[in-house]
Amino acid sequence: MEIMNRMTNPSIIKTWQQRPLIISGPCSAESEQQLVETAMALASTGKVAMLRAGIWKPRTKPGLFEGMGSIALQWLKLASSLSGLPTCVEVANAKHVEEALHMGVDVLWIGARTTVNPFSVQEIADVLRNTDVPILVKNPVNPDIELWAGAIERLQAVHVKNIGMIHRGFSTYGDSNYRNAPLWHIPIEMKRRYPEMLLICDPSHICGNRHMLHQVAQRSIDLGYHGLMVESHPNPDKALSDAKQQILPGDLMVMLNNLVWRSEQSSEQEFVDALTKLRARIDNLDEELLGLIAERMKLAEKIGEYKRDNNITILQTQRWNEILEKSIQKGIKLGLSPAFIARYFDAVHLESISRQNSVMYAKKEETK
């Protein structure tokens, strides 16, 4: 069922365009009292623009608390009317969308477990066709940038007018300091693809704890994010879900006051002139680097010809390990991180292998 003629209150669009946009509230709506108490405390900060709360909670395993369901929408509506904060909830299917909008929810978001499923995203997109209901799309659970972009494109294809992105980190295998690894290069690429689109950070789900929230929030701000979604609760330790990552509304205010918010541009002429000169030098160096890399690839192709003519394998593991180790040591002396050197040389090495592989197959094609 398509939501027909759903026109959002202009004040909501104005809030949606607020920078920084701060969204906060409990992971889950647990009771009317909890929601009202949280909303009033958040509104009193003067910094929170929207109240969030989980109504339907998708959980990894059955038997865990999965939210209070539709009844909590009534509590959310009351909390909104008393606090004056617009509301924001997660939806996973068309029924959720219809119920949330029927109860006056202002902004929707698609969760990480839903973004990963194109069928579910399309169902939500279809019901929101041609509406101006603001909707945020969280990154998928797994680090697949095309799934994230695909979800946005499905909404764009049905002319949803107000779309934003939430970076909440990615599930990865192995031990980590994070609940969900931030993998900053993925949201950075999404920001490059959609430069005008709202992008906010959810440090609560990235961290999975309270003590790292400020650090991760500041990192996102330094990268030019437009706001934050932070989970807060009047009694975090007693929360029915994600207790370790929720904070008191008062602690949220302290964190927000201590964050350094930055702008993307400056009108100070001295700054502009200095930046222009430095960027010109970088552009020249980049041009030189590209020329050197091109020369390196020509040499790799020449080596590929010798390997082909002498029946030698393309991959020479011992040689590569020696190059990488020497390069990392030299890089450290030059102030470059081992991780960067490894990533750079891995990319160069893979391209070299690809070029040599092409040389091998080119010879086979010629002999047919």
Side-chain angles (χ1 to χ4, degrees):
M1 172 181 167
E2 182 180 329
I3 305 295
M4 299 297 292
N5 301 319
R6 171 60 152 83
M7 296 301 294
T8 298
N9 187 315
S11 66
I12 302 303
I13 301 302
K14 186 176 180 180
T15 301
W16 172 260
Q17 296 169 343
Q18 183 175 314
R19 302 292 181 270
L21 176 62
I22 308 298
I23 303 173
S24 188
C27 173
S28 301
E30 300 168 0
S31 69
E32 181 181 283
Q33 179 182 349
Q34 171 233 19
L35 270 185
V36 170
E37 183 178 345
T38 306
M40 298 303 288
L42 292 174
S44 70
T45 68
K47 296 179 179 295
V48 175
M50 291 186 188
L51 173 67
R52 60 140 289 157
I55 305 300
W56 306 277
K57 296 295 299 178
R59 306 306 294 272
T60 303
K61 295 181 179 181
L64 300 175
F65 175 65
E66 296 184 332
M68 299 300 293
S70 302
I71 190 174
L73 291 171
Q74 298 176 20
W75 309 337
L76 192 64
K77 187 174 183 177
L78 176 63
S80 175
S81 66
L82 293 174
S83 66
L85 292 176
T87 54
C88 185
V89 303
E90 178 178 349
V91 292
N93 54 47
K95 185 173 182 293
H96 289 170
V97 174
E98 292 164 2
E99 288 192 39
L101 295 184
H102 177 72
M103 291 300 296
V105 171
D106 299 297
V107 175
L108 309 175
W109 86 79
I110 298 175
R113 289 179 174 84
T114 305
T115 306
V116 81
N117 186 338
F119 291 108
S120 298
V121 175
Q122 189 61 55
E123 179 182 325
I124 293 169
D126 287 339
V127 79
L128 287 173
R129 185 181 299 272
N130 294 319
T131 72
D132 63 351
V133 176
I135 184 160
L136 292 154
V137 183
K138 283 196 173 185
N139 63 254
V141 174
N142 54 310
D144 186 335
I145 193 170
E146 298 307 332
L147 275 175
W148 199 0
I152 289 169
E153 289 171 14
R154 288 177 186 278
L155 292 167
Q156 290 176 327
V158 297
H159 309 294
V160 173
K161 300 177 182 65
N162 298 298
I163 306 171
M165 301 178 285
I166 305 176
H167 171 216
R168 49 82 76 194
F170 304 86
S171 294
T172 54
Y173 180 75
D175 295 333
S176 172
N177 291 329
Y178 301 100
R179 177 181 176 185
N180 294 289
L183 303 183
W184 296 103
H185 62 286
I186 295 180
I188 287 172
E189 171 60 16
M190 290 295 285
K191 196 171 188 293
R192 186 195 68 79
R193 294 188 188 188
Y194 307 100
E196 303 303 319
M197 189 172 290
L198 172 69
L199 171 62
I200 66 176
C201 183
D202 175 355
S204 302
H205 280 88
I206 290 175
C207 298
N209 59 62
R210 301 182 188 109
H211 67 271
M212 294 172 63
L213 286 177
H214 184 279
Q215 171 191 336
V216 171
Q218 186 63 64
R219 176 72 182 274
S220 70
I221 293 165
D222 294 344
L223 290 171
Y225 285 45
H226 304 118
L228 302 169
M229 176 182 277
V230 183
E231 292 187 345
S232 58
H233 191 287
N235 191 355
D237 291 332
K238 299 295 183 181
L240 298 181
S241 59
D242 291 348
K244 293 181 180 179
Q245 67 192 39
Q246 300 191 68
I247 59 176
L248 292 165
D251 291 338
L252 172 65
M253 185 175 182
V254 171
M255 185 183 84
L256 294 175
N257 284 335
N258 286 309
L259 290 171
V260 179
W261 293 93
R262 308 182 191 279
S263 59
E264 290 191 7
Q265 303 293 335
S266 172
S267 58
E268 293 291 332
Q269 196 58 47
E270 184 178 350
F271 166 83
V272 172
D273 291 343
L275 205 63
T276 299
K277 290 178 182 178
L278 291 172
R279 284 174 171 170
R281 291 176 61 186
I282 285 177
D283 290 344
N284 290 334
L285 288 171
D286 284 343
E287 190 172 343
E288 290 180 30
L289 283 172
L290 288 172
L292 290 171
I293 292 172
E295 287 297 316
R296 191 189 192 286
M297 292 308 160
K298 290 177 183 177
L299 292 173
E301 290 175 356
K302 194 68 178 176
I303 290 173
E305 293 174 5
Y306 281 108
K307 288 179 179 178
R308 176 196 65 199
D309 296 340
N310 291 275
N311 291 325
I312 302 297
T313 61
I314 293 174
L315 182 60
Q316 301 285 311
T317 306
Q318 184 175 348
R319 160 76 175 161
W320 171 241
N321 286 339
E322 290 173 357
I323 291 174
L324 188 58
E325 182 58 33
K326 288 180 181 178
S327 298
I328 286 175
Q329 294 307 315
K330 288 180 180 177
I332 290 173
K333 292 178 181 179
L334 293 169
L336 302 173
S337 73
F340 167 72
I341 295 296
R343 287 196 301 270
Y344 167 73
F345 274 91
D346 279 345
V348 171
H349 188 225
L350 286 173
E351 180 63 15
S352 297
I353 289 174
S354 177
R355 294 293 185 97
Q356 293 184 29
N357 198 47
S358 296
V359 170
M360 293 276 191
Y361 279 100
K363 183 66 175 179
K364 290 181 180 180
E365 290 296 326
E366 292 170 5
T367 58
K368 283 185 180 179

Coordinates of all heavy atoms in Angstrom, one line a residue, residues 171-200:
S171 N 29.9 -5.2 10.9 CA 30.3 -6.4 11.6 C 31.5 -7.1 10.9 O 31.5 -7.2 9.7 CB 29.1 -7.5 11.6 OG 28.1 -7.0 12.3
T172 N 32.5 -7.4 11.7 CA 33.7 -8.0 11.1 C 34.1 -9.2 12.0 O 33.8 -9.2 13.2 CB 34.9 -7.0 11.0 OG1 35.1 -6.4 12.3 CG2 34.6 -5.9 10.0
Y173 N 34.8 -10.1 11.5 CA 35.2 -11.3 12.2 C 36.5 -11.0 13.0 O 37.4 -10.3 12.6 CB 35.5 -12.5 11.3 CG 35.9 -13.7 12.0 CD1 35.0 -14.5 12.7 CD2 37.3 -14.1 12.0 CE1 35.4 -15.6 13.4 CE2 37.6 -15.3 12.7 CZ 36.7 -16.0 13.4 OH 37.1 -17.2 14.0
G174 N 36.5 -11.5 14.3 CA 37.7 -11.4 15.1 C 37.6 -10.3 16.2 O 36.5 -9.6 16.2
D175 N 38.6 -10.2 17.0 CA 38.5 -9.3 18.2 C 38.7 -7.9 17.7 O 39.4 -7.6 16.7 CB 39.6 -9.6 19.2 CG 39.4 -11.0 19.8 OD1 38.2 -11.4 19.9 OD2 40.4 -11.6 20.2
S176 N 38.0 -6.9 18.3 CA 38.1 -5.5 18.0 C 37.7 -4.7 19.2 O 37.0 -5.1 20.1 CB 37.2 -5.2 16.8 OG 37.1 -3.8 16.6
N177 N 38.3 -3.5 19.2 CA 37.9 -2.5 20.3 C 36.5 -2.0 20.1 O 35.9 -1.5 21.0 CB 38.8 -1.3 20.3 CG 40.2 -1.7 20.8 OD1 40.4 -2.6 21.6 ND2 41.2 -1.0 20.2
Y178 N 35.9 -2.2 18.9 CA 34.6 -1.7 18.5 C 33.6 -2.8 18.5 O 33.9 -4.0 18.1 CB 34.7 -1.1 17.1 CG 35.6 0.1 17.0 CD1 36.9 -0.1 16.4 CD2 35.3 1.3 17.4 CE1 37.8 0.9 16.2 CE2 36.2 2.4 17.3 CZ 37.4 2.2 16.7 OH 38.3 3.2 16.6
R179 N 32.4 -2.5 18.8 CA 31.3 -3.4 18.5 C 31.1 -3.7 17.1 O 30.9 -4.8 16.6 CB 30.0 -2.9 19.2 CG 28.8 -3.8 18.9 CD 27.5 -3.2 19.5 NE 26.4 -4.1 19.2 CZ 25.1 -3.8 19.5 NH1 24.9 -2.7 20.2 NH2 24.1 -4.6 19.2
N180 N 31.1 -2.6 16.3 CA 31.1 -2.6 14.8 C 32.2 -1.7 14.3 O 32.2 -0.5 14.5 CB 29.7 -2.2 14.3 CG 28.6 -3.1 14.7 OD1 28.4 -4.2 14.3 ND2 27.8 -2.6 15.7
A181 N 33.1 -2.3 13.6 CA 34.3 -1.6 13.1 C 33.8 -0.4 12.2 O 33.0 -0.6 11.3 CB 35.2 -2.5 12.3
P182 N 34.3 0.8 12.4 CA 33.9 2.0 11.7 C 34.2 1.9 10.2 O 33.4 2.4 9.3 CB 34.6 3.1 12.3 CG 35.7 2.6 13.1 CD 35.3 1.2 13.5
L183 N 35.4 1.3 9.8 CA 35.8 1.2 8.4 C 35.5 2.6 7.7 O 34.7 2.6 6.8 CB 35.1 0.1 7.7 CG 35.2 -1.3 8.3 CD1 34.5 -2.4 7.5 CD2 36.7 -1.7 8.5
W184 N 36.1 3.6 8.2 CA 35.8 5.0 7.8 C 35.9 5.2 6.3 O 35.2 6.1 5.7 CB 36.8 5.9 8.5 CG 36.7 6.0 9.9 CD1 37.5 5.4 10.8 CD2 35.6 6.6 10.7 NE1 37.0 5.6 12.1 CE2 35.9 6.4 12.1 CE3 34.5 7.4 10.4 CZ2 35.1 6.9 13.1 CZ3 33.7 7.9 11.4 CH2 34.0 7.6 12.7
H185 N 36.7 4.4 5.5 CA 36.8 4.6 4.1 C 35.5 4.4 3.4 O 35.3 5.0 2.3 CB 37.9 3.7 3.5 CG 37.6 2.2 3.7 ND1 37.8 1.6 4.9 CD2 37.2 1.3 2.7 CE1 37.5 0.3 4.7 NE2 37.1 0.1 3.4
I186 N 34.6 3.5 3.9 CA 33.3 3.3 3.3 C 32.4 4.5 3.3 O 31.9 4.9 2.3 CB 32.7 2.0 3.8 CG1 33.6 0.8 3.5 CG2 31.3 1.8 3.2 CD1 33.0 -0.5 4.0
P187 N 32.1 5.0 4.5 CA 31.3 6.3 4.5 C 31.9 7.4 3.8 O 31.2 8.3 3.3 CB 31.1 6.5 6.0 CG 32.1 5.8 6.7 CD 32.4 4.6 5.9
I188 N 33.3 7.5 3.8 CA 33.9 8.6 3.1 C 33.6 8.4 1.6 O 33.3 9.4 0.9 CB 35.5 8.5 3.3 CG1 35.8 9.0 4.8 CG2 36.2 9.4 2.3 CD1 37.2 8.8 5.2
E189 N 33.6 7.2 1.1 CA 33.3 7.0 -0.3 C 31.8 7.3 -0.6 O 31.5 7.9 -1.6 CB 33.6 5.6 -0.7 CG 33.1 5.2 -2.1 CD 33.6 6.0 -3.3 OE1 34.6 6.7 -3.1 OE2 33.0 5.9 -4.4
M190 N 30.9 7.0 0.4 CA 29.5 7.3 0.2 C 29.3 8.9 0.2 O 28.5 9.4 -0.6 CB 28.7 6.7 1.3 CG 28.6 5.2 1.2 SD 27.6 4.7 -0.2 CE 26.0 5.1 0.3
K191 N 30.1 9.6 1.0 CA 30.0 11.0 1.0 C 30.5 11.6 -0.3 O 30.0 12.6 -0.8 CB 30.9 11.6 2.2 CG 30.6 13.0 2.6 CD 31.4 13.4 3.8 CE 31.0 14.7 4.4 NZ 31.4 15.8 3.5
R192 N 31.5 10.9 -0.9 CA 32.0 11.4 -2.2 C 30.9 11.2 -3.3 O 30.7 12.0 -4.2 CB 33.2 10.6 -2.6 CG 33.9 11.1 -3.9 CD 34.9 10.1 -4.5 NE 34.2 8.9 -4.9 CZ 33.6 8.8 -6.1 NH1 33.5 9.9 -6.9 NH2 33.1 7.7 -6.5
R193 N 30.2 10.0 -3.2 CA 29.2 9.7 -4.2 C 27.9 10.6 -4.0 O 27.3 11.0 -5.0 CB 28.7 8.3 -4.1 CG 29.8 7.3 -4.4 CD 29.2 5.9 -4.5 NE 30.2 4.8 -4.6 CZ 29.9 3.5 -4.8 NH1 28.7 3.1 -4.9 NH2 30.9 2.6 -5.0
Y194 N 27.6 10.9 -2.8 CA 26.4 11.7 -2.5 C 26.8 13.0 -1.7 O 26.5 13.1 -0.5 CB 25.4 10.9 -1.8 CG 25.0 9.6 -2.4 CD1 25.6 8.4 -2.0 CD2 24.1 9.5 -3.5 CE1 25.3 7.2 -2.6 CE2 23.8 8.4 -4.1 CZ 24.4 7.2 -3.7 OH 24.1 6.0 -4.3
P195 N 27.5 13.9 -2.3 CA 28.1 15.0 -1.5 C 27.1 15.9 -0.8 O 27.4 16.6 0.2 CB 28.9 15.8 -2.5 CG 28.3 15.4 -3.9 CD 27.9 14.0 -3.7
E196 N 25.9 16.0 -1.4 CA 24.9 16.9 -0.8 C 23.9 16.2 0.2 O 23.1 16.8 0.8 CB 24.0 17.5 -1.9 CG 24.8 18.3 -3.0 CD 25.6 19.4 -2.4 OE1 25.1 20.1 -1.5 OE2 26.8 19.6 -2.8
M197 N 24.1 14.9 0.3 CA 23.2 14.1 1.2 C 23.6 14.2 2.6 O 24.8 14.1 3.0 CB 23.1 12.7 0.7 CG 22.0 11.8 1.3 SD 21.8 10.2 0.6 CE 21.1 10.6 -1.0
L198 N 22.6 14.2 3.5 CA 22.8 14.2 5.0 C 23.5 12.9 5.3 O 23.1 11.8 5.0 CB 21.5 14.3 5.7 CG 21.5 14.1 7.2 CD1 22.1 15.2 7.9 CD2 20.1 13.9 7.7
L199 N 24.6 13.1 6.1 CA 25.4 11.9 6.6 C 25.6 12.1 8.1 O 26.2 13.1 8.5 CB 26.7 11.7 5.9 CG 27.7 10.7 6.5 CD1 27.1 9.3 6.5 CD2 29.0 10.7 5.8
I200 N 25.0 11.2 9.0 CA 25.3 11.3 10.4 C 25.9 10.1 10.9 O 25.8 9.0 10.3 CB 24.0 11.6 11.2 CG1 23.0 10.5 11.1 CG2 23.3 12.9 10.7 CD1 21.7 10.7 11.9

